[in-house]
Amino acid sequence: MSDIEQRIQRLEDRTAIEDLAVSYFVATDDDDYDALESQFTPDAVFKAGNFTGGTDRQSIVAFLREARASMGVTIHTPNYCLITFEDNDHASGIVGAHLEIAMAGQSLFGAVRYIDRYTRLQGRWQFSKREMKTFHMGPWSDVASSLTSELKVRWPGASPQAADLP
């Protein structure tokens, strides 16, 4: 493969991984569990804060389905995607996003960062690891102080807690 062909392939791979990240958000917001399942490798790992969401494709989808059962409308808005290629079939990434979530009769707002590993299987990029870390999360009424508070994560019905990230 020539240098120009390698560079074009890398650009195509980068676009495919960015599309994977956005497709995950759309599938989550739309409760499209078949699409979510297809986005993870068979032995993928998913974590969200202190919760191990799953250690294979099926358990990840079961975790996401259960988490979504307590939520209404969600809107995931990606802000950035930084990708580092390890070789032709493996990469790591950081995806930043804002979330809007209807939960417990409230509208929540927050910012998260996904720490990802990607693997190309059968010509298609998938998540082999996805870990969601929270900057802040809570009701819209708390947004004015959510980044300056010591306890930045405020889920309905739970005690305020420290964020995963500063």
Side-chain angles (χ1 to χ4, degrees), residues 29-47:
D29 292 341
D30 292 349
D31 295 320
D32 187 345
Y33 300 106
D34 291 336
L36 282 168
E37 186 171 345
S38 74
Q39 294 170 350
F40 289 92
T41 61
D43 59 348
V45 175
F46 182 90
K47 290 182 72 176

Side-chain angles (χ1 to χ4, degrees), residues 41-161:
T41 61
D43 59 348
V45 175
F46 182 90
K47 290 182 72 176
N50 295 327
F51 298 98
T52 298
T55 55
D56 62 51
R57 189 184 274 163
Q58 289 77 26
S59 64
I60 291 168
V61 172
F63 170 78
L64 293 171
R65 185 185 298 268
E66 184 178 332
R68 292 281 298 132
S70 66
M71 300 175 194
V73 173
T74 61
I75 303 167
H76 289 73
T77 304
N79 297 318
Y80 56 83
C81 186
L82 178 64
I83 301 166
T84 303
F85 289 93
E86 297 158 14
D87 59 38
N88 290 335
D89 295 322
H90 299 91
S92 58
I94 298 172
V95 178
H98 279 90
L99 307 178
E100 297 172 63
I101 301 170
M103 187 175 194
Q106 300 178 62
S107 293
L108 308 181
F109 181 75
V112 298
R113 179 179 288 167
Y114 290 87
I115 311 300
D116 293 337
R117 296 222 356 106
Y118 314 103
T119 301
R120 186 195 331 252
L121 288 179
Q122 300 175 334
R124 195 168 63 83
W125 287 100
Q126 296 175 308
F127 297 107
S128 53
K129 181 179 180 188
R130 178 152 251 220
E131 183 173 0
M132 185 184 87
K133 295 187 175 271
T134 307
F135 284 103
H136 72 103
M137 177 60 68
W140 274 100
S141 59
D142 291 352
V143 169
S145 64
S146 63
L147 290 175
T148 57
S149 170
E150 210 172 294
L151 301 175
K152 296 177 176 80
V153 179
R154 302 166 192 170
W155 292 104
S159 297
Q161 54 192 311

